[in-house]
Amino acid sequence: MNDGLTFDAGGRSDAARTLRRRLLRGFLRAAVRIAPHLPDGAIGALRAWASVNLTSLGVGVLGPELRRRFRQAGADHPGAAREFLRQAVLHYTDGLFILKHALASGLDDETAEPTGAPRALCEVIDLARRRIRLDDSMRILHDAIARRRGVLLAPVHACQFLTGLPLIAAEAPLTVYLRYSQDETDRRAKLAWCRAGGLDVIAERSRPGDPAARPARMA
C-alpha cells in the first residue's frame, strides 16, 4: 500500500485504472443524456475530428506506455499505438451512434416491449457492415447450428465489439452474458445496446446461494 493506493508487481499504481473507470463512467452518463439528440452528421463530424486530433494527442501522451504494452504482448510495430487509438475513437463514437438510435427507440426500458428494435437494428447492422468484414471462421458457427449444437464464444477483449457482435448475431442466434452492474445508467446502456444489436442478454444479480443460476439460463 502507498497513500491508500495498491500497486501491482510492476510497481504501477491502481490509480490509473480507477481514473480510467471514472472517466468512462462519466463519458457513458454524458452519452446517455446527449446521444438521443445528436444528428448522425454531428456524430460523423465528431468521429472525423477525433480520429485526427485525439489520436495525435493520445500518441503524444500515451504512446510510450502503449508501446511498452505492445512489446510485452509481442505485437509492437510502427504505427501500432496510433492505430490502436484510432480504433478506440471509432469504438466510442460508434457507441454514441448506437446509443442515439437505441435510446431514441426506447430500448433502455426494462419494463417495455422493445417495439423500436427493428428500426434501430437496421441502423446498427448498416454501420457494422461498413466497419467489419467477417472471415471464414464464421463457418464454425454455421456448422454447429447445422448440427444443432451450441457454441461458447470467448473472444479477446478488443475494440469494435459494439458493432462486431450484432454483425455475428445477424447470422447466428447469440446470447451475451454480461457482468451485472450496480449502476443504473450502465444497465440501461447495456440493455439498449443489446436490443439495438439484436442480442439476447443475460445480466442478472448473482445469487450467493446458487452460483450456477445465471450460467444455467444459457443452457
Side-chain angles (χ1 to χ4, degrees):
M1 301 291 289
N2 184 2
D3 295 330
L5 301 174
T6 58
F7 289 80
D8 63 19
R12 291 180 297 277
S13 170
D14 277 349
R17 179 177 298 178
T18 300
L19 176 61
R20 179 177 65 87
R21 288 176 177 171
R22 288 177 178 173
L23 289 174
L24 290 178
R25 189 176 297 118
F27 172 83
L28 180 61
R29 288 175 177 170
V32 167
R33 286 196 302 270
I34 68 173
H37 311 292
L38 288 175
D40 289 353
I43 297 175
L46 174 62
R47 181 185 298 119
W49 178 87
S51 293
V52 175
N53 295 282
L54 289 187
T55 296
S56 296
L57 177 63
V59 169
V61 175
L62 301 174
E65 175 64 13
L66 288 174
R67 285 189 286 272
R68 182 187 68 79
R69 295 193 178 199
F70 282 133
R71 283 195 298 271
Q72 287 180 336
D76 189 30
H77 62 83
R82 181 173 294 276
E83 179 59 20
F84 172 83
L85 291 167
R86 191 183 73 83
Q87 291 294 327
V89 166
L90 287 177
H91 176 74
Y92 287 110
T93 52
D94 285 353
L96 265 181
F97 178 90
I98 294 170
L99 276 178
K100 176 257 176 79
H101 289 279
L103 296 175
S105 299
L107 301 185
D108 60 323
D109 188 347
E110 295 178 294
T111 64
E113 286 295 319
T115 55
R119 182 172 61 254
L121 179 59
C122 288
E123 297 288 350
V124 173
I125 293 299
D126 182 62
L127 173 67
R129 286 177 174 154
R130 296 199 304 268
R131 290 275 179 271
I132 296 170
R133 180 182 62 82
L134 297 177
D135 63 20
D136 292 339
S137 63
M138 282 297 297
R139 63 180 172 76
I140 299 172
L141 281 179
H142 292 304
D143 290 347
I145 293 171
R147 297 197 302 271
R148 302 182 66 82
R149 298 179 61 185
V151 177
L152 289 177
L153 296 179
V156 296
H157 190 178
C159 283
Q160 312 316 335
F161 65 86
L162 293 177
T163 47
L165 287 179
L167 194 57
I168 293 173
E171 298 202 18
L174 193 62
T175 298
V176 180
Y177 186 81
L178 294 176
R179 180 174 55 190
Y180 183 84
S181 175
Q182 300 293 335
D183 185 85
E184 182 182 0
T185 301
D186 193 30
R187 292 199 306 273
R188 285 179 56 205
K190 287 178 178 179
L191 178 64
W193 162 59
C194 288
R195 285 177 166 178
L199 305 166
D200 290 328
V201 59
I202 298 173
E204 296 181 326
R205 295 178 185 271
S206 61
R207 304 177 194 172
D210 187 8
R214 286 188 295 177
R217 287 195 54 192
M218 300 181 69

